[in-house]
Amino acid sequence: MTTLRLSPLALSRSRFALSPLAETVGTAIALARPHPDPWFASWRAHHLPDFTAALDADPFARGLIGLISSTKWLPGFVAVPPPDGMRTALTRELTALRAVSDDAFRAELAPSLTHSWRHHDLDWLTGRDWGPRTAALLDALWTAHIAADWPRRRALLERDVAYRAGLLAAYGWPRALEQMSRHSTWVGADAIRFSNRPGPERVIGDDGMLFVPVSLSTGTWLCQGPPDHYAQVYPARGAATALTPASPRRALERLVGAGRAALLHELAQPATSTELAARLGQSLGTIGGHLSVLRDAGLVVGTRVGRRVVYRRTEDGDRLAGERDA
């Protein structure tokens, strides 16, 4: 079993981060694998023709994405901890990728090939400058399949971080990590069991560990940077709402008004009034008024988590939003 051991100092400095590179890798894997989860099947069907055409036109892209999407060990050049926390930009991550030498690139492929469930030839690994070519490929995938959705995705990722940060403040890291993945669990007082696969124990450095949500992945992966610097990528909560906007429900809008209907739909995942205002592009006063009406009607309830009040739908709110059987 792969175990990550944290000193008290490392634990105190562990934090959350965002990685557009991880979001791009997760999206590429979701598009490349043949059996998508039902919740993003329609999104995948819309994007798949352009994605397939791009890979068919470039043997290097087809070979690399084929390997990435069929291995349990991602190449280290695409599994790097984000350098700037919640403010990490794709350009910064791709700059580091462009600097990867061909020798380092080839060396990182070896464990990925060993842990792949498909046989891979490396006849696609031709020419040179594989790091810059990979950066160009991922930049193109970002532009074609993520950029337009990024505000919506980022809001979802930030909401996941806010939710887990609330749990962290109230209950500590074990609760914040609950349900982060099927295999990651807290062990004792100072260790995280990352997966059930055999692997060496890793000691996290004093800078702590990063936890990075992504919207499309259903699995997790471990990123390693400088010595003892690690990040765990995990699927964000409520990802089904990131790529599948709610279908119009005219009857609900006529009943409670378009603004309150939109807010009720947004509360498919708990959120604060500030998060709802940013997500819906409305003022805090407007959001507060809507929440007051919905709360009085028994459709939402607020729970204090530290200094924040997190709102969620009640069962009646779920039924009215059409997301629970009456």
Side-chain angles (χ1 to χ4, degrees):
M1 297 181 183
T2 301
T3 302
L4 310 171
R5 193 163 299 279
L6 297 87
S7 68
L9 180 59
L11 184 59
S12 70
R13 291 179 174 175
S14 293
R15 56 209 182 276
F16 293 91
L18 297 185
S19 170
L21 177 60
E23 187 75 14
T24 306
V25 171
T27 297
I29 292 172
L31 283 168
R33 288 184 177 171
H35 303 294
D37 287 347
W39 60 264
F40 70 87
S42 61
W43 175 90
R44 182 177 182 273
H46 175 73
H47 285 267
L48 190 58
D50 288 344
F51 177 77
T52 302
L55 298 192
D56 287 344
D58 183 354
F60 176 83
R62 184 169 63 251
L64 180 60
I65 297 300
L67 175 58
I68 287 174
S69 63
S70 65
T71 185
K72 295 181 179 180
W73 190 295
L74 287 176
F77 49 78
V78 296
V80 180
D84 299 316
M86 296 294 292
R87 300 185 303 276
T88 299
L90 181 64
T91 53
R92 175 84 182 273
E93 295 181 293
L94 293 183
T95 296
L97 178 51
R98 291 187 185 96
V100 174
S101 70
D102 287 352
D103 288 342
F105 188 99
R106 182 183 287 275
E108 291 288 354
L109 294 181
S112 299
L113 291 166
T114 300
H115 290 83
S116 176
W117 54 82
R118 287 170 41 196
H119 173 73
H120 294 272
D121 294 319
L122 292 182
D123 52 359
W124 52 271
L125 197 61
T126 59
R128 53 187 301 177
D129 295 330
W130 300 322
R133 289 163 67 183
T134 301
L137 167 61
L138 294 175
D139 192 28
L141 292 176
W142 168 274
T143 300
H145 306 293
I146 302 171
D149 286 337
W150 181 236
R152 184 180 182 87
R153 293 198 194 193
R154 185 183 181 99
L156 176 115
L157 303 180
E158 290 175 341
R159 185 178 299 176
D160 179 273
V161 169
Y163 168 78
R164 296 188 187 279
L167 293 176
L168 172 62
Y171 305 107
W173 275 111
R175 178 71 71 86
L177 300 183
E178 277 185 0
Q179 299 180 351
M180 186 174 282
S181 81
R182 290 173 293 177
H183 303 300
S184 295
T185 57
W186 199 268
V187 181
D190 65 346
I192 301 169
R193 188 177 67 205
F194 174 71
S195 77
N196 293 324
R197 297 197 305 271
E201 179 176 281
R202 293 174 168 88
V203 177
I204 307 302
D206 287 343
D207 285 339
M209 185 170 176
L210 298 177
F211 296 95
V212 182
V214 291
S215 67
L216 256 182
S217 175
T218 56
T220 63
W221 64 85
L222 193 65
C223 302
Q224 182 175 3
D228 305 329
H229 188 195
Y230 294 91
Q232 178 177 339
V233 177
Y234 68 92
R237 299 168 70 254
T241 63
L243 303 177
T244 310
S247 59
R249 295 178 173 91
R250 300 299 182 187
L252 178 59
E253 292 183 2
R254 289 197 300 269
L255 178 64
V256 301
R260 291 168 194 159
L263 190 151
L264 201 59
H265 290 318
E266 283 301 315
L267 284 177
Q269 295 297 324
T272 67
S273 57
T274 301
E275 291 165 352
L276 291 166
R279 184 71 183 84
L280 295 172
Q282 298 181 10
S283 69
L284 274 174
T286 299
I287 293 296
H290 289 332
L291 286 171
S292 178
V293 172
L294 294 173
R295 185 175 57 244
D296 290 343
L299 301 178
V300 304
V301 64
T303 303
R304 183 168 291 280
V305 180
R307 297 183 178 181
R308 304 159 61 247
V309 176
V310 179
Y311 293 90
R312 61 175 177 82
R313 291 194 308 228
T314 63
E315 290 188 3
D316 287 342
D318 285 342
R319 292 190 185 98
L320 191 60
E323 297 194 18
R324 181 170 297 189
D325 293 335

